[in-house]
Amino acid sequence: MKPAAFDYHAPTTIDEALDLLAAHGDDARVLAGGQSLVPLMAVRLSRTEHLVDLNTIPALAEIGSANGSLSVGSMVRQRTIEHDPTIAATVPLLARATPWIGHFQIRNQGTVGGSLAHADPAAEYPAVALALDAQMEIRSAGQTRTVTAENFFEGLFSTCIEAGELLTAITFPTRQPGEGFAINEVARRHGDFALVGTAARVAVDNQGAVTSSAIAMFGVGTTPQRVTATEQALIGADQDADLNAIAQISSTELAPFDDLHASASYRKRVGAVTVRRALTDAIEEARDG
Amino acid sequence: MTAGRFVGQRVIRREDRRFTTGEGNYIDDIAVAGMLHAAFVRSDFARGIILSIDTTEAEASPGVIAVLTAADLNAMSGPMYSTLLGEAAAAPPMRALADGDVRYVGEPVAVVVARDRYLAEDAAELVFVDIEPQTPVIGPVFALDETDQIVHPERGTNLAQSFPVNDTPEVEAAFAGAAHVVSRQFTQSRATCVPMEGRGLIASWSPSSQTFEGWVSSQNSHEYHAHMARVLGVPHHHVRLRTGDIGGGFGQKVMVTRDEDCIVLASKALAMPIKWIEDRRENLIAANQARAEILDVSMALDEDANILACTVRHVEDVGAYAIGGHASASGNLANIFPGPYRIPLYGVGSRSAYTNTVGRGAYRGPWLSETTAREQMIDHIARELGIDPLELRRRNIITDEELPYTSATGMVYDNMALTGCLEQAIEMVDYEAFRSQQAAALQEGRYLGLGLSTYVEPGAISWGSLAAERAVLRIDPGGKVRLLLGSGEHGQSVGLTMSQLVAEYLGCGVDDVELIQGDTATTPFGGGTAGSRTSVIAGGATIGAAKVLRDKVASIAAHLLEAAPADIEVLDGRAFVAGSPAQGLSFAEIAHVAYRQTDQLAGGPEPDLEASHRYQPPNMFTFSNACHVCVCEVDIETGLVDLQRYIVSEDCGPLINPMVVEGQVSGGVVQGIGGVLYEHMAYDDAGNPLASTFLDYLLPGAAEMPIIEIGHCETLADTEGGFKGMSEGGTIGAPAAVANAVADALAPLGVLTGEFPMGPSQIIDLIEAAASASA
Amino acid sequence: MADVQMPPAVPVSVRVNGTARSGEVEARKTLADFLRDDCGLTGTHLACEHGACGACTVLVDGQAVRSCLLFAVQCQTREVVTVEGLTVDPETLTPVQQAFQDCHGLQCGFCTPGFVVSVTAFLADNPDPTEEEIRIGLSGNLCRCTGYQGIYAAVRQAAAELRGSK
């Protein structure tokens, strides 16, 4: 299983990379961590004339905080996110999702931008981005634009990134008082893509009643999906709320696929279980602080 | 039996030093000067007519030497069949490359030979095969009973082989008069061996001498040798095969496959050495597969739940080109389905179906559906009748007092711990304590289950080419010991265990012995390593040779020491007069005389430090047995199964090396677990294999496996050393143990099981179905 | 064969086991193939070529990564250590290697280099792992022969040995 041939480019600055992408358009692909792309190249489902290596651009791997948000360069390694105490404290959902991604060897190379741009519907980071309303900074040789997560994921393994464009950074809102976060997924073996899962953010008021939430499910279709009716039903939920009944609403909002590993009905039924389990943990955390 | 100085000891492996430091010598590590690299073009259709193959662009691709099709290779080939099973068993005849039509996805249609594998794959993409698709025949029942489409026109039927139903009037009468009759269907899902190293070889044909040399990754190089000589049309002695280290086999490397034959023929066609290394996608979709079987089982019992009779109707999917009949489960199904139980009457019928999928091959315990079905059936009957499944087994299992026991199928069971292993396993798991824990857990809404599985294993088959093994043992001019066997180890520690036998019976150190295997020019003809045979048959030969050589050493030493041979002890590589170890001779000193100063032996013994011994076990099968217990918890919300404990009590006779035996049991158990919970070589209705990478064909992983606790009973077989073969046993017992544990856990929900795989999605389906049924 | 131009090769120089190794390879040549073919270091094995099995694991700048998912050209400024480079003294096995031998953590040996490299990196990051952490740490490497039993034991032994020798 050997990849098809390509010309290799190793730009050292973002502008250099953008110039290469502008020059080669559809004939260029970027190489981030390679943990998703290179297997596809090995089976020749993906091929390109020009491979533009982003690993040689230090500027893409910076992390910066601003008021109420954290900006994470697209080439920040999953391993870095997993072990960074600042991220654990300020964007806990991102940190907590990370150990679920593959295995430590994968995370040593894999990047946050690569995972988001690859847009596997069963991956954790796209759902986290959706749950946190992350902002994607997308640059091309001429301009910079910002796209919310909601508008970023367009379909199966496809995003709004056009030829000549590069995802350069992702901005996540940082944790506020009264917020709780949780991720819950079902996988057949540790490190496998989820059969189904939920990434949740919940905010509660001083009495512990839910004021808002974002419930993003993965493994449920062509993209991650916010189950907004479930989010609506959760508003006002107090200590007596029937989380199971609320979580069940999610299964009416989904249209998942059958595949070799799980049926669509499994994904709906067990998806609701992951919603309930994630909400239980997130609400408890929100009420604690 | 008490352990000897070496036999019975946990000796560690010398070769691990090489393996842990990256100094293994596997087929892809080996290079032959000037060798080229091959890549196959394979069919994307399960069935169809080949309208044309255009190789023009591929031939012009950089680095390409040749692109070969059936027109180039097939007519060159002698018949391709397993020497063990004979030409008639290869029905239809195997063909090198697809010729005129394709009959499974993955069938080789062309082979590209190029300077490296990257370039070969580039060219393979440029071969344009125009296929007119035909409706494929998928599924064995469909193939046999529901379609008039024929996989092999020259066969005229999709029935590959059959054993007609042989129910006797006594069987029928037993069912008619029984207090209880229970019937259920059990299916095994299709699986594949997945050695971590796939198939591979380097083929070198020499036109000037009309000889062939090959490096192969083979469990049985002598079989490969005979097959390749036949395919090349050369006399047997014009072939030499060698093996390096082999990265697993599990049955997939026992017989030559047509892909390998293509490379052999290509090397002759081009008169150039060619290496082919199978990649993982090829290994998953184009290497032989197994386990796709359906068994309809019926058992008749009396009012005390004694089994009076049982019948089995068996259907198996053998794909388009099975590797010989031996891979079929049918034979042993007929022999051993009643297992370790006192079942006086048995009727069986079996049908094997061709389908447009890759052919069936051997996979560790190829016949194990008999245990998978029988043991699940026992538990099912227990639930139906409201009896504890342990109690049901205790009532029906053959006791020690009944040995030797002749089964309804004519198998003679003797020197086995059928009851002993059951009782040891039960004690190890603390059965009563588990039942209490299970009941308490159920009160809390948790679903724990326990599954039993017990079986007999027909190891060390002794028949045809596999009847015997020969060991050649010599002390070399430097005083070290060389052992030559026709074995083909690929993880079973044959070198280690045979060295332990030599050390024990010749009288040297384990590290003094080196095993040479695989080289067909120098090693004695043998049956390779498969079928749980090496310890018994090669072990017997090795012990015999060691004893003969010991006597020769003693004779020479006696002469040189002016003592009587009976007074000579041979120990730790020295021969000395008993009681005076300091006054002796080392093997090196003895060898120096025997090889270089033979006049010192004038008038005395022959200067001969070599022994050759052939051993054939007394019976066609040497039976071992075991009992497995699996404890699990099922998360009924997600369908995930947590394997909490796994116990094996096994009897394989004396253990040459307990560490090795336990490793074989463990690896086998995990493969069995895989076949139930994780692995599924599924095909869609168009005949496309759906699991072509490790993302979809899921192997059991380290995070999910239980600690496997192993106990031993030890009865002596009437083989040399008392050994019995056991290496397939772990895989044989595990599927039913796991399935039974899940079924036991879900029984309170009214769930009925019997179908594999039992992944989380299937388990949730079962729970939903049971809930609907009871609603 | 037609007189066809071979695909372009690029010069590559990678530090492997402490030594600069050079070659001219196609850009698409994986690090795994570069190590095996161009450096003669065949200890790194290919068992899947799609990053799922871990047999090809090497250390790149001290981190365990799948060498089948890296291109040789990507590694020119990085330090690669293969299974052959773990033992400073070829006569002495590292505690991880010794533990695999002592605990029968291998049978056919094909997956073993990947395990040895991965476990070496894992224990460097996590010297006192719990049983659960060991299992998760091993989950990125597949073995078909051992059923993992000897491997769990090997990691425990190696961890204890490494902690004890500090």
Side-chain angles (χ1 to χ4, degrees):
Chain A
M1 288 156 62
K2 311 298 185 189
F6 51 81
D7 287 337
Y8 170 79
H9 307 271
T12 55
T13 68
I14 298 175
D15 284 332
E16 238 185 286
L18 294 176
D19 287 342
L20 283 164
L21 294 178
H24 297 296
D26 282 320
D27 291 336
R29 281 204 71 116
V30 295
L31 175 66
Q35 305 303 284
S36 300
L37 177 64
V38 181
L40 290 174
M41 294 177 75
V43 296
R44 303 197 178 204
L45 284 176
S46 173
R47 64 186 73 209
T48 185
E49 302 279 326
H50 298 277
L51 191 67
V52 178
D53 191 352
L54 302 179
N55 292 278
T56 43
I57 308 175
L60 284 175
E62 293 171 354
I63 302 174
S65 44
N67 203 14
S69 69
L70 190 77
S71 167
V72 182
S74 58
M75 286 300 291
V76 171
R77 304 279 174 200
Q78 291 156 6
R79 173 195 172 90
T80 303
I81 294 172
E82 189 176 355
H83 297 294
D84 185 314
T86 306
I87 298 179
T90 60
V91 194
L93 192 57
L94 188 66
R96 285 174 200 161
T98 308
W100 288 97
I101 302 173
H103 313 282
F104 77 93
Q105 300 94 331
I106 300 278
R107 300 194 292 275
N108 283 339
Q109 266 299 107
T111 64
V112 60
S115 174
L116 292 171
H118 183 64
D120 189 315
E124 292 80 4
Y125 276 178
V128 167
L130 205 57
L132 297 178
D133 289 319
Q135 305 286 311
M136 322 303 208
E137 177 187 270
I138 300 173
R139 290 182 57 181
S140 60
Q143 59 160 355
T144 303
R145 63 190 180 112
T146 303
V147 178
T148 60
E150 189 185 347
N151 297 318
F152 180 76
F153 301 103
E154 291 190 339
L156 190 62
F157 299 109
S158 96
T159 68
C160 69
I161 302 173
E162 307 270 7
E165 290 189 317
L166 180 65
L167 174 66
T168 48
I170 306 95
T171 303
F172 297 96
T174 52
R175 180 189 183 167
Q176 301 302 309
E179 282 193 322
F181 305 88
I183 186 153
N184 190 282
E185 71 173 67
V186 176
R188 294 182 76 172
R189 303 171 306 175
H190 187 89
D192 282 347
F193 280 105
L195 298 182
V196 68
T198 297
R201 176 189 67 77
V202 172
V204 301
D205 62 22
N206 293 334
Q207 281 73 50
V210 175
T211 54
S212 71
S213 71
I215 305 171
M217 298 185 72
F218 47 106
V220 294
T222 56
T223 66
Q225 183 180 336
R226 292 269 296 265
V227 282
T228 51
T230 311
E231 294 170 3
Q232 278 294 109
L234 190 62
I235 294 175
D238 60 16
Q239 279 77 351
D240 298 323
D242 183 350
L243 288 182
N244 189 45
I246 293 170
Q248 295 289 335
I249 296 170
S250 67
S251 59
T252 66
E253 302 189 64
L254 302 173
F257 304 138
D258 291 327
D259 69 17
L260 185 61
H261 299 293
S263 63
S265 72
Y266 177 91
R267 292 183 150 111
K268 286 195 212 180
R269 175 178 167 137
V270 181
V273 173
T274 68
V275 170
R276 190 197 80 232
R277 292 178 177 182
L279 288 180
T280 304
D281 290 344
I283 291 172
E284 184 181 328
E285 180 178 54
R287 288 178 182 154
D288 282 347
Chain B
M1 185 180 109
T2 51
R5 293 189 83 218
F6 303 103
V7 174
Q9 301 298 339
R10 292 178 178 269
V11 183
I12 63 176
R13 301 192 329 174
R14 212 161 69 227
E15 60 267 38
D16 290 357
R17 151 170 291 285
R18 291 192 299 111
F19 290 144
T20 59
T21 58
E23 300 300 323
N25 193 37
Y26 300 88
I27 184 67
D28 199 20
D29 304 337
I30 298 170
V32 166
M35 78 185 179
L36 301 166
H37 297 262
F40 283 98
V41 178
R42 296 183 181 277
S43 174
D44 289 328
F45 292 94
R47 183 169 179 236
I49 305 295
I50 299 176
L51 299 175
S52 65
I53 305 178
D54 184 353
T55 62
T56 328
E57 267 191 66
E59 286 168 19
S61 192
V64 171
I65 307 311
V67 181
L68 304 168
T69 65
D72 300 303
L73 291 186
N74 288 22
M76 286 171 62
S77 178
M80 301 171 174
Y81 59 85
S82 143
T83 326
L84 173 71
L85 300 166
E87 187 161 14
M94 198 71 78
R95 55 193 187 183
L97 290 169
D99 189 0
D101 61 52
V102 293
R103 301 188 187 179
Y104 59 96
V105 171
E107 179 165 15
V109 176
V111 57
V112 175
V113 180
R115 297 212 182 283
D116 69 36
R117 178 71 183 220
Y118 287 75
L119 298 171
E121 290 191 13
D122 291 343
E125 284 195 303
L126 297 175
V127 175
F128 297 106
V129 185
D130 190 8
I131 293 179
E132 181 187 291
Q134 297 173 297
T135 311
V137 177
I138 305 298
V141 173
F142 178 79
L144 292 173
D145 302 329
E146 297 168 8
T147 182
D148 54 4
Q149 299 290 305
I150 299 295
V151 172
H152 297 298
E154 61 270 42
R155 295 290 293 168
T157 170
N158 290 332
L159 184 68
Q161 93 177 351
S162 72
F163 288 74
V165 171
N166 66 0
D167 295 2
T168 60
E170 289 77 15
V171 168
E172 287 164 12
F175 273 89
H180 305 286
V181 172
V182 182
S183 299
R184 189 144 183 87
Q185 183 178 86
F186 300 95
T187 63
Q188 289 186 163
S189 51
R190 196 173 183 122
T192 183
C193 300
V194 193
M196 291 314 291
E197 177 200 49
R199 296 172 294 169
L201 74 163
I202 303 173
S204 302
W205 169 258
S206 166
S208 56
S209 57
Q210 295 283 296
T211 59
F212 179 81
E213 284 204 24
W215 285 93
V216 294
S217 185
S218 166
Q219 300 174 230
N220 188 348
S221 57
H222 287 279
E223 165 61 39
Y224 274 47
H225 178 130
H227 179 111
M228 290 178 178
R230 197 162 49 237
V231 161
L232 288 163
V234 297
H236 195 267
H237 65 288
H238 277 207
V239 172
R240 178 183 190 182
L241 299 184
R242 279 175 289 178
T243 62
D245 296 312
I246 300 169
F250 310 112
Q252 215 167 52
K253 300 175 181 176
V254 169
M255 303 200 175
V256 183
T257 60
R258 57 191 287 190
D259 314 70
E260 292 158 305
D261 283 320
C262 287
I263 304 303
V264 169
L265 292 166
S267 79
K268 184 175 183 185
L270 302 177
M272 290 170 145
I274 303 175
K275 172 187 262 191
W276 174 61
I277 301 297
E278 171 177 62
D279 67 29
R280 184 53 58 190
R281 180 175 172 271
E282 294 180 281
N283 179 258
L284 289 174
I285 71 163
N288 294 95
Q289 299 172 0
R291 304 270 192 259
E293 302 167 53
I294 305 164
L295 294 86
D296 283 284
V297 182
S298 292
M299 289 196 178
L301 302 96
D302 67 17
E303 48 288 315
D304 294 322
N306 295 301
I307 304 168
L308 304 172
C310 68
T311 61
V312 178
R313 308 289 179 251
H314 173 248
V315 173
E316 65 176 353
D317 185 342
V318 297
Y321 291 98
I323 296 284
H326 89 294
S328 163
S330 313
N332 270 336
L333 188 73
N335 289 334
I336 62 166
F337 182 87
Y341 303 110
R342 184 187 314 109
I343 303 179
L345 295 164
Y346 173 54
V348 61
S350 172
R351 296 184 298 157
S352 307
Y354 296 123
T355 61
N356 288 111
T357 60
V358 77
R360 184 181 167 115
Y363 176 18
R364 204 169 195 172
W367 64 84
L368 62 78
S369 61
E370 49 83 32
T371 291
T372 302
R374 180 192 63 250
E375 294 301 306
Q376 288 186 82
M377 185 63 165
I378 298 285
D379 268 35
H380 175 69
I381 292 172
R383 276 188 291 276
E384 291 280 296
L385 302 187
I387 303 176
D388 182 293
L390 169 61
E391 178 55 31
L392 183 56
R393 285 180 173 82
R394 278 174 167 157
R395 286 187 205 174
N396 287 280
I397 199 160
I398 298 162
T399 63
D400 289 347
E401 291 70 41
E402 293 170 271
L403 301 178
Y405 177 90
T406 301
S407 77
T409 59
M411 299 291 108
V412 178
Y413 301 139
D414 199 6
N415 305 315
M416 297 165 81
L418 301 173
T419 304
C421 285
L422 175 66
E423 296 303 331
Q424 185 182 60
I426 292 306
E427 191 184 315
M428 287 170 70
V429 76
D430 198 344
Y431 190 83
E432 292 308 320
F434 171 78
R435 289 297 181 203
S436 304
Q437 287 158 20
Q438 180 182 39
L442 190 60
Q443 296 300 312
E444 296 168 17
R446 293 171 53 219
Y447 293 81
L448 270 54
L450 182 149
L452 287 166
S453 171
T454 184
Y455 62 89
V456 302
E457 176 179 354
I461 182 169
S462 171
W463 167 78
S465 316
L466 302 180
E469 292 291 319
R470 175 175 291 281
V472 174
L473 191 64
R474 68 173 73 103
I475 295 174
D476 74 14
K480 293 300 182 185
V481 185
R482 291 281 178 104
L483 171 66
L484 289 84
L485 290 173
S487 56
E489 80 172 276
H490 45 287
Q492 298 86 345
S493 311
V494 174
L496 172 64
T497 51
M498 297 301 111
S499 296
Q500 288 175 255
L501 294 179
V502 173
E504 190 81 47
Y505 287 95
L506 170 59
C508 62
V510 174
D511 285 349
D512 292 332
V513 185
E514 183 192 351
L515 171 64
I516 310 231
Q517 60 192 323
D519 183 345
T520 60
T522 59
T523 59
F525 178 82
T529 293
S532 305
R533 61 195 304 279
T534 301
S535 290
V536 174
I537 311 184
T542 299
I543 291 173
K547 288 177 177 174
V548 170
L549 185 56
R550 186 217 166 274
D551 287 346
K552 293 188 181 185
V553 168
S555 295
I556 293 172
H559 182 87
L560 296 171
L561 295 171
E562 295 175 352
D567 295 334
I568 299 291
E569 257 193 73
V570 183
L571 203 60
D572 292 335
R574 291 173 54 76
F576 51 91
V577 177
S580 309
Q583 294 162 317
L585 296 164
S586 68
F587 279 13
E589 289 168 323
I590 293 168
H592 186 70
V593 170
Y595 284 102
R596 306 189 197 284
Q597 295 187 328
T598 57
D599 50 301
Q600 288 195 43
L601 298 177
E606 285 291 305
D608 172 15
L609 288 176
E610 180 163 320
S612 173
H613 186 84
R614 179 183 180 277
Y615 176 73
Q616 179 163 353
N619 304 304
M620 185 159 112
F621 293 120
T622 303
F623 285 100
S624 64
N625 73 280
C627 180
H628 292 208
V629 186
C630 177
V631 173
C632 79
E633 179 166 355
V634 181
D635 180 340
I636 64 165
E637 288 196 309
T638 63
L640 288 175
V641 176
D642 176 27
L643 300 175
Q644 298 186 336
R645 291 187 72 190
Y646 201 99
I647 282 114
V648 176
S649 168
E650 64 89 47
D651 178 3
C652 66
L655 311 177
I656 302 173
N657 187 325
M659 178 190 86
V660 170
V661 170
E662 289 162 11
Q664 289 293 297
V665 170
S666 297
V669 164
V670 169
Q671 275 183 314
I673 291 171
V676 180
L677 298 181
Y678 297 102
E679 301 175 44
H680 187 193
M681 183 49 72
Y683 279 77
D684 66 16
D685 291 337
N688 295 304
L690 298 178
S692 63
T693 70
F694 279 157
L695 296 179
D696 289 315
Y697 195 81
L698 303 182
L699 294 190
E704 288 79 34
M705 290 304 102
I707 298 297
I708 300 169
E709 304 160 56
I710 303 172
H712 303 284
C713 296
E714 195 177 296
T715 61
L716 293 174
D718 50 5
T719 54
E720 182 71 65
F723 310 130
K724 309 172 192 180
M726 50 61 62
S727 286
E728 291 164 285
T731 314
I732 296 170
V738 174
N740 282 342
V742 173
D744 186 53
L746 299 179
L749 299 176
V751 166
L752 295 178
T753 61
E755 211 176 305
F756 294 171
M758 298 175 86
S761 194
Q762 289 83 11
I763 287 175
I764 292 297
D765 286 344
L766 288 170
I767 293 171
E768 282 183 340
S772 305
S774 66
Chain C
M1 180 181 67
D3 182 17
V4 175
Q5 199 167 20
M6 296 296 280
V10 298
V12 161
S13 180
V14 183
R15 283 190 66 78
V16 183
N17 299 336
T19 307
R21 306 298 298 258
S22 303
E24 292 246 331
V25 300
E26 290 193 65
R28 61 171 165 169
K29 189 161 208 179
T30 63
L31 176 63
D33 283 330
F34 175 74
L35 293 169
R36 292 180 53 78
D37 298 343
D38 298 89
C39 303
L41 295 167
T42 57
T44 300
H45 296 155
L46 292 171
C48 82
E49 296 189 287
H50 53 279
C53 76
C56 69
T57 307
V58 299
L59 302 179
V60 175
D61 293 338
Q63 308 281 338
V65 293
R66 277 104 157 86
S67 63
C68 72
L69 299 186
L70 283 169
F71 300 108
V73 295
Q74 284 184 272
C75 299
Q76 307 210 64
T77 57
R78 304 171 89 178
E79 291 272 348
V80 176
V81 175
T82 69
V83 63
E84 293 96 333
L86 291 177
T87 328
V88 174
D89 163 17
E91 290 308 301
T92 311
L93 298 182
T94 67
V96 171
Q97 291 162 330
Q98 188 63 57
F100 270 79
Q101 182 183 37
D102 289 343
C103 301
H104 201 40
L106 62 151
Q107 292 180 23
C108 82
F110 199 73
C111 70
T112 304
F115 268 99
V116 167
V117 172
S118 291
V119 170
T120 301
F122 171 74
L123 291 177
D125 272 354
N126 191 346
D128 195 2
T130 63
E131 201 61 30
E132 184 65 13
E133 287 168 345
I134 290 175
R135 287 161 156 275
I136 290 173
L138 291 171
S139 64
N141 291 80
L142 297 176
C143 175
R144 196 57 162 164
C145 291
T146 64
Y148 304 106
Q149 308 296 301
I151 297 176
Y152 301 137
V155 179
R156 276 183 234 118
Q157 176 180 311
E161 177 68 26
L162 286 164
R163 286 195 306 274
S165 61
K166 290 235 164 72

